Amino acid sequence: MPLPLPRLRAVVLVTGAALLAKRALRRRIQDSPLWPLPALEEPISGRSERRSTAARRVLVTERTTPAEGVVQLRLEGSSLPAWQPGAHLDLVLPSGLVRQYSLCGDPAEPDTYTVATRLVEDGRGGSREVHAQLHEGVEVEIHAPRNRFPLVGAPAYLFVVGGIGITPVLPMLRALSAAGADWRLLYGGRSRASMPFLDEIEKLGAEGGRVTVVPEDEAGRPDTAAALADTAEGTAVYCCGPEPLMDAVAAALPPGRTLHLERFTAATASSVGSGPFEVELRRSGRTVRVAADQSVLAAVREEVPYVSYSCEQGFCGTCQQRVLEGEIDHRDELLTDSERDDTMLICVSRCRGERLVLDL
């Protein structure tokens, strides 16, 4: 049965409008400076095995003060990924800043993460925001934990820690104590009042004198050389804390011991110190010039402002990008040898030649 004339006219008008809109959209896409987008195999720009791009919402359900100037937050959510001692997560602050904090709670506790941070008045602002704005009842965004400081199997362990560096180590001590492993801890800080989790740590090491606490206002700085000299061959040495402490441990490490470091700031990473070069952004169809005193990240963000980044010092991995062409001058503290073959951290690493091509 044929359609009534008014209804037929309406169908024709709607169909014609849809065709016109489709043609206009096609012309708009083709006129775009990003058209056509190249079809590159397995794009991984901005991603790595250690970083999840999926954001999750969690609720601050408890806020405590485990030491002077230190805030501990209990974060609860739904179906949170499991984690192991040594892991840390990305915390997206209300301002949009992204900061990394080690997990210091219990991996066996489901859907709960615990982090702690010391207030750094002259820092880059992350700790000040945590202390000022993250209270019970506040919802925040996180990215799933990743672990570049895992607890490995060893016949014995020595932990050398300074201040807030205790946060990734505390879950390790709990796990080793529960397993009856051979471990010792040298724990330094400005004062006992400023050293987080001190009561729990001293209880964990009560038997066998496993824990040596060295408050600087009472006993000066820890004797790392003596502690290392007292280790047996095969001992796994874990260190987290201020850069001078980590340098001292690395310098005094005896042969036959393995050293595991967790940095909260970069050691000597620098994004400057070589000549200018070009970076082609293959997917965007653009080329940017990186000046001698400019990072790749800064140059790229002028064209692609949404590119992810955080620490800007080469140790968090947020800005990792795939490199399609060019020789990389790696200056980071994080990537593995295999990752260095075709990726770089654009906040600090540079080009050894005159041109790089990124999958971006």
Side-chain angles (χ1 to χ4, degrees), residues 293-334:
D293 61 349
Q294 184 183 34
S295 69
V296 176
L297 173 64
V300 167
R301 291 193 75 243
E302 291 179 3
E303 294 292 331
V304 189
Y306 59 79
V307 67
S308 298
Y309 70 100
S310 178
C311 75
E312 298 184 77
Q313 298 179 74
F315 69 92
C316 79
T318 305
C319 69
Q320 183 176 353
Q321 298 292 339
R322 185 183 183 192
V323 180
L324 303 176
E325 296 177 23
E327 187 177 0
I328 309 165
D329 178 9
H330 290 287
R331 304 185 179 187
D332 64 90
E333 298 283 349
L334 182 64

Side-chain angles (χ1 to χ4, degrees), residues 70-259:
V70 177
V71 160
Q72 178 178 275
L73 303 176
R74 179 185 174 92
L75 310 173
E76 296 187 18
S78 176
S79 301
L80 297 182
W83 61 280
Q84 296 296 322
H88 65 280
L89 54 72
D90 291 339
L91 182 63
V92 184
L93 301 175
S95 67
L97 285 175
V98 181
R99 294 293 182 263
Q100 291 74 39
Y101 296 109
S102 295
L103 292 168
C104 55
D106 183 356
E109 191 171 9
D111 297 331
T112 301
Y113 295 151
T114 302
V115 298
T117 179
R118 184 181 299 283
L119 178 62
V120 182
E121 292 287 0
D122 59 349
R124 295 183 298 136
S127 68
R128 290 196 301 273
E129 190 169 349
V130 169
H131 280 244
Q133 298 191 33
L134 298 193
H135 296 271
E136 294 176 6
V138 173
E139 223 182 25
V140 290
E141 191 174 281
I142 62 167
H143 292 279
R146 56 192 190 274
N147 199 338
R148 64 176 184 228
F149 193 51
L151 183 61
V152 301
Y157 301 83
L158 171 65
F159 298 90
V160 183
V161 173
I164 197 64
I166 195 65
T167 50
V169 168
L170 183 57
M172 298 184 186
L173 301 183
R174 294 179 183 134
L176 293 174
S177 295
D182 180 7
W183 64 269
R184 290 186 297 120
L185 168 67
L186 179 61
Y187 185 17
R190 293 193 306 271
S191 66
R192 286 182 174 272
S194 71
M195 299 167 71
F197 314 115
L198 189 55
D199 289 345
E200 180 183 355
I201 288 166
E202 290 184 322
K203 289 178 182 177
L204 285 172
E207 294 182 7
R210 296 178 183 273
V211 174
T212 302
V213 177
V214 187
E216 189 172 345
D217 61 351
E218 299 177 16
R221 295 184 178 180
D223 189 345
T224 55
L228 288 163
D230 196 30
T231 58
E233 188 170 348
T235 297
V237 179
Y238 282 76
C239 182
C240 185
E243 202 64 36
L245 177 68
M246 303 177 83
D247 291 342
V249 170
L253 187 73
R257 284 72 168 168
T258 58
L259 179 59

Side-chain angles (χ1 to χ4, degrees), residues 281-302:
L281 311 178
R282 179 63 56 84
R283 288 180 169 274
S284 302
R286 305 174 188 180
T287 298
V288 300
R289 187 73 174 169
V290 181
D293 61 349
Q294 184 183 34
S295 69
V296 176
L297 173 64
V300 167
R301 291 193 75 243
E302 291 179 3

